[in-house]
Amino acid sequence: MSDAILGQVALGYSPFIDRNRAVTATRLTVFPLRPDAALDAAQLLQAVAGVWPADGARVSLNVASESLLQDLLKAEPSTNVMIEVPAFMAGDPANIEALQALHRQGNTMLLKGRPLQALPREVLPCFKYSIIELSDDRRIAEGSQSPSGAPRTIPHVQSGVSSVADMEASFNRGAAAVLGWPIDDVVATAMAGGKPAGQTDLQVIVELINRVDKQEPIERLEATLKRDPSLAFKLMRYINSPAFGLSVEISSFRHAIMMLGYQRLKRWLALLLATAGKDSNLKPVMFAAVRRGLFMEELVRGSGDDEMRNEMFICGVFSLLDRMFRQPFADLLRTIPVPQRVYQALVDGTGPYQPYFELVKSVESESLFDFSAAADTLMMSVSEINRAELRALTSAAQLD
């Protein structure tokens, strides 16, 4: 089947985060590039199934095209595919039969936006959650209660969350999950608590990265890693994941160096560094960092050499280390060796990697305007970007 739809839409993504700060699902936002385009629901579901197969993780489709969404409601997506339905469509009697059919099939549906009038009684049980935008939540001014004091009819997911403070407040108001990237003020919030949790672990990995950068003997590297066996285990798990694509299993750190070499090993130490923190509020930040690295690498898979791909991966993975270490990049990268082009992007906001970095952030923010501007700057086709994004999300799912 053709995947022409990947050239007709812009894709964005964001996480569903539960009270334990675990990422429980991914939202895939689909923007049509032309309002009058005829989009194929079957092609969209095929592309989605390539990343989230029927027996895989959950994905929520946020489709900004009424006609495409109407077609999706009449299709038969696998039950791990959740559908977000705007309130105006949920209240339309013409959609009752399709919504009920999806509900019977076992698909989770989320009501998006505040209904202007009561939904048909037949429809309300079809929705497991409502999605309430943070800026539109009337309970904020009233504490945990709604203005009328009445309980909400169905559990809600808070969207528009961009900070840890917003996330915690949403859970205190009863949100079942938050939807968004709470990374804006992680540094400031975490600094109030004193020394970052897991700092010792992070310093061990930084030391190891420095030793690998200097290509020190394997014995010295092994001695450093042995100071924290849990980190050694995690590194082996990453290297042996399907995302790495090795044909043989890596059995030891020494074996990893022999098989990979120092340069390729550095990228996986970067990944380890970005996911080694113990602060639960940083879990969504780690999640974002991994996907940034994989996405930036995929964006140059067809145009860059191995060195560029590895550097782009490190650039993305390191792009949130200032949050984890609670330090500005200019200070942080004095102790962590990075290539010059990575330093330019993270510290100076310049250099050849910066436009790719801006593209990744536009996808995370689910902004069609920023997506289009970044794509034009890079002179990349929309289909090329979407394919890179889906490959990155597939690799990320294999690492989780």
Side-chain angles (χ1 to χ4, degrees), residues 304-316:
D305 55 20
D306 285 345
E307 181 181 21
M308 185 179 185
R309 287 194 294 271
N310 285 330
E311 288 186 3
M312 288 278 279
F313 177 86
I314 290 172
C315 185

Side-chain angles (χ1 to χ4, degrees), residues 196-243:
Q199 185 70 33
T200 301
D201 294 341
L202 297 174
Q203 292 298 343
V204 169
I205 305 172
V206 169
E207 180 182 342
L208 195 57
I209 290 174
N210 275 284
R211 292 185 182 277
V212 169
D213 190 62
K214 297 174 184 176
Q215 299 192 15
E216 292 190 1
I218 294 177
E219 291 74 16
R220 292 187 182 179
L221 303 180
E222 286 183 319
T224 302
L225 193 61
K226 285 178 181 177
R227 284 160 48 188
D228 194 323
S230 66
L231 295 181
F233 172 81
K234 194 171 185 180
L235 178 62
M236 292 301 106
R237 182 171 65 85
Y238 277 145
I239 292 176
N240 284 309
S241 71

Side-chain angles (χ1 to χ4, degrees), residues 342-368:
V342 174
Y343 185 94
Q344 290 174 330
L346 299 182
V347 177
D348 302 327
T350 62
Y353 296 164
Q354 181 62 19
Y356 295 96
F357 189 27
E358 292 301 321
L359 173 61
V360 171
K361 289 190 291 185
S362 76
V363 169
E364 290 179 352
S365 65
E366 299 169 305
S367 168
L368 177 58

Side-chain angles (χ1 to χ4, degrees), residues 75-376:
E76 295 184 358
S78 56
T79 54
N80 67 317
V81 176
M82 304 185 290
I83 306 291
E84 299 181 24
V85 182
F88 77 91
M89 290 182 64
D92 186 344
N95 293 322
I96 291 177
E97 185 177 344
L99 293 172
Q100 288 179 322
L102 278 175
H103 180 59
R104 287 192 300 268
Q105 182 177 300
N107 291 93
T108 295
M109 282 179 286
L110 301 95
L111 179 65
K112 190 171 63 174
R114 183 185 301 150
L116 298 179
Q117 57 188 13
L119 297 181
R121 280 187 293 179
E122 306 96 316
V123 165
L124 192 57
C126 297
F127 292 97
K128 187 171 183 179
Y129 301 104
S130 61
I131 298 177
I132 299 176
E133 179 70 24
L134 183 65
S135 61
D136 196 36
D137 193 340
R138 292 174 294 180
R139 295 193 175 199
I140 294 177
E142 302 291 333
S144 62
Q145 295 297 316
S146 65
S148 64
R152 280 180 167 139
T153 306
I154 56 177
H156 77 285
V157 172
Q158 191 92 76
S159 62
V161 171
S162 61
S163 71
V164 169
D166 288 344
M167 178 174 65
E168 291 179 339
S170 296
F171 287 133
N172 288 337
R173 289 191 299 273
V178 298
L179 181 56
W181 296 100
I183 60 178
D184 284 357
D185 69 349
V186 171
V187 177
T189 302
M191 282 296 288
K195 185 178 179 179
Q199 185 70 33
T200 301
D201 294 341
L202 297 174
Q203 292 298 343
V204 169
I205 305 172
V206 169
E207 180 182 342
L208 195 57
I209 290 174
N210 275 284
R211 292 185 182 277
V212 169
D213 190 62
K214 297 174 184 176
Q215 299 192 15
E216 292 190 1
I218 294 177
E219 291 74 16
R220 292 187 182 179
L221 303 180
E222 286 183 319
T224 302
L225 193 61
K226 285 178 181 177
R227 284 160 48 188
D228 194 323
S230 66
L231 295 181
F233 172 81
K234 194 171 185 180
L235 178 62
M236 292 301 106
R237 182 171 65 85
Y238 277 145
I239 292 176
N240 284 309
S241 71
F244 198 76
L246 290 179
S247 59
V248 297
E249 182 176 353
I250 300 297
S251 57
S252 68
F253 186 61
R254 178 182 292 267
H255 188 198
I257 295 175
M258 292 172 60
M259 289 293 297
L260 306 176
Y262 286 88
Q263 294 304 313
R264 292 184 69 198
L265 183 60
K266 276 172 35 177
R267 59 177 275 132
W268 292 96
L269 290 173
L271 180 61
L272 190 63
L273 180 62
T275 58
K278 301 297 193 296
D279 185 344
S280 62
N281 280 333
L282 290 177
K283 287 183 180 179
V285 182
M286 300 174 195
F287 182 88
V290 172
R291 276 141 190 80
R292 281 185 177 185
L294 293 168
F295 190 10
M296 289 188 71
E297 178 186 24
E298 289 296 340
L299 286 170
V300 296
R301 180 162 297 280
S303 59
D305 55 20
D306 285 345
E307 181 181 21
M308 185 179 185
R309 287 194 294 271
N310 285 330
E311 288 186 3
M312 288 278 279
F313 177 86
I314 290 172
C315 185
V317 168
F318 276 8
S319 66
L320 292 169
L321 283 188
D322 57 336
R323 270 80 166 177
M324 297 185 64
F325 275 75
R326 288 58 153 176
Q327 294 181 42
F329 276 119
D331 296 335
L332 186 59
L333 297 186
R334 292 195 185 105
T335 59
I336 303 175
V338 297
Q340 179 64 25
R341 292 178 290 191
V342 174
Y343 185 94
Q344 290 174 330
L346 299 182
V347 177
D348 302 327
T350 62
Y353 296 164
Q354 181 62 19
Y356 295 96
F357 189 27
E358 292 301 321
L359 173 61
V360 171
K361 289 190 291 185
S362 76
V363 169
E364 290 179 352
S365 65
E366 299 169 305
S367 168
L368 177 58
F369 177 82
D370 293 338
F371 179 100
S372 299
D376 289 345

